[in-house]
Amino acid sequence: MADIKFEPAKMLKEKPDVSKIGFGTHFTDYMFAMDYNTEKGWHDARIIPYQDIAVSPANTTLHYGQAVFEGMKAYRQGSKVVIFRPMDHLRRMENSCRILDIPEFPLETVHEGLTQLVAQEKAWVPEQKGQSLYIRPFIFATDPFLGVSVSETYTLLIILSPVAAYYAHGFAPVRIMVEDTYVRAVRGGLGEAKTPANYAASLHAGLVAHQKGYDQTLWLDGVERKYIEEVGSMNILFKIDGVVVTPELDGSILNGVTRRTVLAVAKEWGVPVSERRISIDEVREAYRNGKLEEVFGSGTAAVISPVGVLGYKGQDMVINGGKTGPFARKMYDYIEGLHCGEVEDTQGFIEIVAEM
Ligand code: COI
């Protein structure tokens, strides 16, 4: 058992009406924290009141971005509180740390801190289907130093935010612009890591897509602008002639936990899946031949996000008549069912962390 200290809050917050607060706007009463320095390694695991943090104006993360984060969710299943695939998320954060040269954190202690924190905050886990408690672990460098080098000190925090169902107005397909000017990441870079730089790199292109009447960007590879990588901040999947096709992980694509869930569930259903390079030309060809059945994104925040329109070089491909396809719908319902306990968890995705 890890030694995790607890500091009680002087006052607890009033809980908001989750249906009205969207995503990532409200935070619970407590957070988990841990620090690293070269003498002590990772130390001082603690659950403390949620609070602002002071950093030096020379804090190296503010200048050079040596940081990683994760996103996962806790759900109510009747009287139980569960987390969806927490160890898979923490292992992915380990991988992100390797890419960013952040010292390996004690997985068991952080896992225990995470479960103790969620158990402490169980009253914040929304009861309504589709709503959840979003869990954001992150690690950032804290050296007060303007030289460009790997930091010698870090802080790990886990904060919690109650979030509404992602689709306030129903499970509506989005309009996506295929981006052939800007790139999100490139092989050999940081694309596989969940690190702020990849999100910073996506902001301007997202804005341009909006100005052109699209909701998000479809990212092509950074070398040839030919092979499909991700959509917005999600992984992308296609259903072409009965096969679920998704870009293979090549170092510039995030190893999505929802992506892995979709592939595992599709296999369980006997639907053929293929992880391979897929070019935008192949997608166009499949569209012309009437073989492009469905396109959808997958991620923790939205779970499944159907694509109704793919705009490329001034032409819109309308997928499945602009409507959510049956496979995406069934997958969304199934994963939502796993979250709320209506679907049996045959693959061990769910971890119970508290009883009400
Ligand atoms: C997700 O869909 O899980 C994401 O990565 C979005 C998150 C950064 C808000």
Side-chain angles (χ1 to χ4, degrees):
M1 275 287 265
D3 175 25
I4 299 172
K5 287 181 223 79
F6 179 73
E7 181 191 326
K10 292 203 172 65
M11 257 177 54
L12 299 183
K13 298 171 191 169
E14 207 170 301
K15 295 185 182 57
D17 174 352
V18 179
S19 65
K20 299 206 171 89
I21 61 174
F23 181 87
T25 56
H26 287 63
F27 302 95
T28 68
D29 294 303
Y30 289 95
M31 63 189 194
F32 174 82
M34 226 178 157
D35 299 305
Y36 176 92
N37 61 37
T38 40
E39 299 88 64
K40 292 191 192 164
W42 284 104
H43 62 279
D44 200 11
R46 57 206 187 271
I47 292 173
I48 54 176
Y50 182 92
Q51 58 199 269
D52 288 348
I53 47 173
V55 291
S56 159
N59 170 284
T60 186
T61 300
L62 296 180
H63 299 273
Y64 308 123
Q66 196 194 0
V68 298
F69 68 95
E70 264 307 317
M72 61 184 112
K73 284 176 172 173
Y75 301 89
R76 278 285 294 270
Q77 291 194 352
S79 64
K80 295 188 181 67
V81 172
V82 307
I83 307 180
F84 192 71
R85 305 189 76 167
M87 281 306 268
D88 293 307
H89 283 281
L90 291 180
R91 288 204 185 94
R92 186 172 65 178
M93 189 156 83
E94 281 189 319
N95 188 50
S96 299
C97 285
R98 280 191 279 274
I99 297 170
L100 271 293
D101 269 320
I102 293 173
E104 195 176 327
F105 58 85
L107 189 66
E108 292 307 326
T109 305
V110 174
H111 177 252
E112 207 176 308
L114 165 70
T115 51
Q116 279 188 25
L117 177 68
V118 174
Q120 170 69 34
E121 299 291 60
K122 62 187 182 184
W124 284 86
V125 184
E127 271 176 77
Q128 218 169 303
K129 194 174 171 185
Q131 299 181 349
S132 58
L133 187 66
Y134 185 77
I135 303 168
R136 169 57 62 88
F138 59 110
I139 305 176
F140 60 101
T142 53
D143 276 6
F145 177 52
L146 291 185
V148 180
S149 66
V150 172
S151 182
E152 294 187 343
T153 61
Y154 298 85
T155 294
L156 182 157
L157 297 177
I158 305 176
I159 58 173
L160 307 175
S161 174
V163 296
Y166 198 78
Y167 300 107
H169 307 290
F171 186 51
V174 289
R175 290 170 54 81
I176 298 297
M177 188 182 97
V178 181
E179 177 56 67
D180 55 6
T181 303
Y182 305 107
V183 297
R184 169 192 169 272
V186 68
R187 255 169 286 150
L190 300 177
E192 194 183 281
K194 212 159 172 66
T195 186
N198 292 327
Y199 297 80
S202 74
L203 296 175
H204 180 67
L207 212 60
V208 172
H210 269 281
Q211 283 160 358
K212 293 188 175 166
Y214 294 90
D215 299 301
Q216 263 303 346
T217 308
L218 184 85
W219 300 106
L220 299 179
D221 77 276
V223 179
E224 297 174 72
R225 307 282 204 284
K226 188 173 167 187
Y227 295 100
I228 290 163
E229 299 221 318
E230 295 192 10
V231 61
S233 58
M234 289 190 257
N235 293 113
I236 179 122
L237 299 103
F238 301 86
K239 188 146 176 284
I240 301 176
D241 207 13
V243 180
V244 175
V245 182
T246 191
E248 66 188 358
L249 303 175
D250 65 352
S252 64
I253 295 172
L254 190 77
N255 184 355
V257 175
T258 311
R259 172 188 182 277
R260 268 185 271 161
T261 305
V262 170
L263 296 178
V265 170
K267 282 181 196 159
E268 198 175 287
W269 290 346
V271 177
V273 304
S274 172
E275 293 177 70
R276 61 172 172 82
R277 294 228 285 187
I278 175 164
S279 69
I280 186 65
D281 291 339
E282 179 184 339
V283 170
R284 253 204 314 198
E285 193 56 24
Y287 178 72
R288 283 199 201 104
N289 297 337
K291 292 191 171 163
L292 181 60
E293 295 160 17
E294 297 186 37
V295 183
F296 56 95
S298 70
T300 298
V303 185
I304 298 290
S305 178
V307 175
V309 170
L310 264 185
Y312 183 48
K313 295 201 185 294
Q315 287 196 324
D316 280 350
M317 296 179 251
V318 180
I319 322 291
N320 189 47
K323 298 198 172 65
T324 301
F327 182 82
R329 172 91 252 170
K330 187 174 163 196
M331 187 58 75
Y332 179 70
D333 289 342
Y334 189 89
I335 298 176
E336 283 276 291
L338 281 170
H339 292 160
C340 70
E342 282 171 7
V343 166
E344 192 196 346
D345 174 27
T346 55
Q347 305 206 36
F349 293 151
I350 295 293
E351 198 178 300
I352 300 168
V353 292
E355 293 272 350
M356 296 308 287

